[in-house]
PDB file of all heavy atoms in Angstrom:
ATOM      1  N   ILE A 254     -14.523  13.143 -13.343  1.00 93.00           N
ATOM      2  CA  ILE A 254     -15.463  14.087 -13.868  1.00 93.00           C
ATOM      3  C   ILE A 254     -15.261  14.383 -15.317  1.00 93.00           C
ATOM      4  O   ILE A 254     -15.791  15.365 -15.893  1.00 93.00           O
ATOM      5  CB  ILE A 254     -15.375  15.465 -13.086  1.00 93.00           C
ATOM      6  CG1 ILE A 254     -13.940  16.037 -13.143  1.00 93.00           C
ATOM      7  CG2 ILE A 254     -15.811  15.205 -11.639  1.00 93.00           C
ATOM      8  CD1 ILE A 254     -13.804  17.421 -12.612  1.00 93.00           C
ATOM      9  N   THR A 255     -14.506  13.564 -15.997  1.00 93.00           N
ATOM     10  CA  THR A 255     -14.398  13.664 -17.422  1.00 93.00           C
ATOM     11  C   THR A 255     -15.716  13.225 -18.152  1.00 93.00           C
ATOM     12  O   THR A 255     -16.545  12.645 -17.504  1.00 93.00           O
ATOM     13  CB  THR A 255     -13.211  12.825 -17.987  1.00 93.00           C
ATOM     14  OG1 THR A 255     -13.360  11.476 -17.542  1.00 93.00           O
ATOM     15  CG2 THR A 255     -11.855  13.358 -17.514  1.00 93.00           C
ATOM     16  N   ASP A 256     -15.832  13.593 -19.441  1.00 87.00           N
ATOM     17  CA  ASP A 256     -17.078  13.235 -20.145  1.00 87.00           C
ATOM     18  C   ASP A 256     -17.196  11.675 -20.254  1.00 87.00           C
ATOM     19  O   ASP A 256     -16.179  10.953 -20.393  1.00 87.00           O
ATOM     20  CB  ASP A 256     -17.012  13.818 -21.576  1.00 87.00           C
ATOM     21  CG  ASP A 256     -17.066  15.317 -21.541  1.00 87.00           C
ATOM     22  OD1 ASP A 256     -17.683  15.863 -20.605  1.00 87.00           O
ATOM     23  OD2 ASP A 256     -16.563  15.927 -22.507  1.00 87.00           O
ATOM     24  N   HIS A 257     -18.424  11.195 -20.172  1.00 89.00           N
ATOM     25  CA  HIS A 257     -18.658   9.803 -20.346  1.00 89.00           C
ATOM     26  C   HIS A 257     -18.159   9.361 -21.695  1.00 89.00           C
ATOM     27  O   HIS A 257     -18.179  10.057 -22.708  1.00 89.00           O
ATOM     28  CB  HIS A 257     -20.151   9.466 -20.264  1.00 89.00           C
ATOM     29  CG  HIS A 257     -20.798   9.828 -18.906  1.00 89.00           C
ATOM     30  ND1 HIS A 257     -20.177   9.526 -17.686  1.00 89.00           N
ATOM     31  CD2 HIS A 257     -21.926  10.428 -18.648  1.00 89.00           C
ATOM     32  CE1 HIS A 257     -20.974   9.936 -16.746  1.00 89.00           C
ATOM     33  NE2 HIS A 257     -22.044  10.516 -17.289  1.00 89.00           N
ATOM     34  N   GLY A 258     -17.655   8.107 -21.743  1.00 90.00           N
ATOM     35  CA  GLY A 258     -17.207   7.554 -22.979  1.00 90.00           C
ATOM     36  C   GLY A 258     -15.741   7.546 -23.135  1.00 90.00           C
ATOM     37  O   GLY A 258     -14.984   7.228 -22.229  1.00 90.00           O
ATOM     38  N   ASP A 259     -15.207   7.994 -24.356  1.00 93.00           N
ATOM     39  CA  ASP A 259     -13.787   7.806 -24.662  1.00 93.00           C
ATOM     40  C   ASP A 259     -12.914   8.643 -23.715  1.00 93.00           C
ATOM     41  O   ASP A 259     -11.806   8.231 -23.329  1.00 93.00           O
ATOM     42  CB  ASP A 259     -13.553   8.171 -26.085  1.00 93.00           C
ATOM     43  CG  ASP A 259     -13.818   9.661 -26.382  1.00 93.00           C
ATOM     44  OD1 ASP A 259     -15.010  10.019 -26.378  1.00 93.00           O
ATOM     45  OD2 ASP A 259     -12.867  10.368 -26.662  1.00 93.00           O
ATOM     46  N   GLY A 260     -13.346   9.871 -23.372  1.00 94.00           N
ATOM     47  CA  GLY A 260     -12.518  10.737 -22.510  1.00 94.00           C
ATOM     48  C   GLY A 260     -12.220  10.137 -21.157  1.00 94.00           C
ATOM     49  O   GLY A 260     -11.054  10.090 -20.733  1.00 94.00           O
ATOM     50  N   GLN A 261     -13.239   9.586 -20.540  1.00 95.00           N
ATOM     51  CA  GLN A 261     -13.107   8.965 -19.201  1.00 95.00           C
ATOM     52  C   GLN A 261     -12.263   7.631 -19.347  1.00 95.00           C
ATOM     53  O   GLN A 261     -11.399   7.421 -18.492  1.00 95.00           O
ATOM     54  CB  GLN A 261     -14.466   8.622 -18.616  1.00 95.00           C
ATOM     55  CG  GLN A 261     -14.469   8.308 -17.159  1.00 95.00           C
ATOM     56  CD  GLN A 261     -15.847   8.397 -16.552  1.00 95.00           C
ATOM     57  OE1 GLN A 261     -16.846   8.017 -17.176  1.00 95.00           O
ATOM     58  NE2 GLN A 261     -15.939   8.858 -15.346  1.00 95.00           N
ATOM     59  N   HIS A 262     -12.526   6.908 -20.395  1.00 96.00           N
ATOM     60  CA  HIS A 262     -11.754   5.722 -20.601  1.00 96.00           C
ATOM     61  C   HIS A 262     -10.270   6.008 -20.856  1.00 96.00           C
ATOM     62  O   HIS A 262      -9.408   5.351 -20.236  1.00 96.00           O
ATOM     63  CB  HIS A 262     -12.320   5.021 -21.845  1.00 96.00           C
ATOM     64  CG  HIS A 262     -11.988   3.565 -21.963  1.00 96.00           C
ATOM     65  ND1 HIS A 262     -12.614   2.672 -22.817  1.00 96.00           N
ATOM     66  CD2 HIS A 262     -11.026   2.803 -21.361  1.00 96.00           C
ATOM     67  CE1 HIS A 262     -12.125   1.478 -22.653  1.00 96.00           C
ATOM     68  NE2 HIS A 262     -11.100   1.557 -21.839  1.00 96.00           N
ATOM     69  N   ARG A 263      -9.989   7.042 -21.631  1.00 97.00           N
ATOM     70  CA  ARG A 263      -8.598   7.431 -21.953  1.00 97.00           C
ATOM     71  C   ARG A 263      -7.872   7.921 -20.730  1.00 97.00           C
ATOM     72  O   ARG A 263      -6.706   7.661 -20.493  1.00 97.00           O
ATOM     73  CB  ARG A 263      -8.614   8.421 -23.081  1.00 97.00           C
ATOM     74  CG  ARG A 263      -7.278   8.650 -23.761  1.00 97.00           C
ATOM     75  CD  ARG A 263      -7.533   9.306 -25.120  1.00 97.00           C
ATOM     76  NE  ARG A 263      -8.352  10.498 -25.081  1.00 97.00           N
ATOM     77  CZ  ARG A 263      -9.513  10.598 -25.640  1.00 97.00           C
ATOM     78  NH1 ARG A 263     -10.063   9.619 -26.304  1.00 97.00           N
ATOM     79  NH2 ARG A 263     -10.234  11.751 -25.533  1.00 97.00           N
ATOM     80  N   ALA A 264      -8.622   8.703 -19.880  1.00 97.00           N
ATOM     81  CA  ALA A 264      -7.953   9.241 -18.690  1.00 97.00           C
ATOM     82  C   ALA A 264      -7.519   8.197 -17.725  1.00 97.00           C
ATOM     83  O   ALA A 264      -6.461   8.253 -17.098  1.00 97.00           O
ATOM     84  CB  ALA A 264      -8.949  10.207 -18.013  1.00 97.00           C
ATOM     85  N   ALA A 265      -8.341   7.137 -17.558  1.00 97.00           N
ATOM     86  CA  ALA A 265      -7.993   6.030 -16.664  1.00 97.00           C
ATOM     87  C   ALA A 265      -6.776   5.282 -17.242  1.00 97.00           C
ATOM     88  O   ALA A 265      -5.828   4.970 -16.457  1.00 97.00           O
ATOM     89  CB  ALA A 265      -9.151   5.061 -16.535  1.00 97.00           C
ATOM     90  N   ILE A 266      -6.691   5.063 -18.495  1.00 98.00           N
ATOM     91  CA  ILE A 266      -5.597   4.344 -19.107  1.00 98.00           C
ATOM     92  C   ILE A 266      -4.268   5.162 -18.938  1.00 98.00           C
ATOM     93  O   ILE A 266      -3.219   4.609 -18.568  1.00 98.00           O
ATOM     94  CB  ILE A 266      -5.803   4.054 -20.597  1.00 98.00           C
ATOM     95  CG1 ILE A 266      -7.012   3.042 -20.767  1.00 98.00           C
ATOM     96  CG2 ILE A 266      -4.634   3.543 -21.292  1.00 98.00           C
ATOM     97  CD1 ILE A 266      -7.431   2.846 -22.230  1.00 98.00           C
TER      98      ILE A 266
END
Side-chain angles (χ1 to χ4, degrees):
I254 59 170
T255 52
D256 293 333
H257 298 316
D259 65 289
Q261 196 164 37
H262 199 164
R263 198 161 50 245
I266 293 172

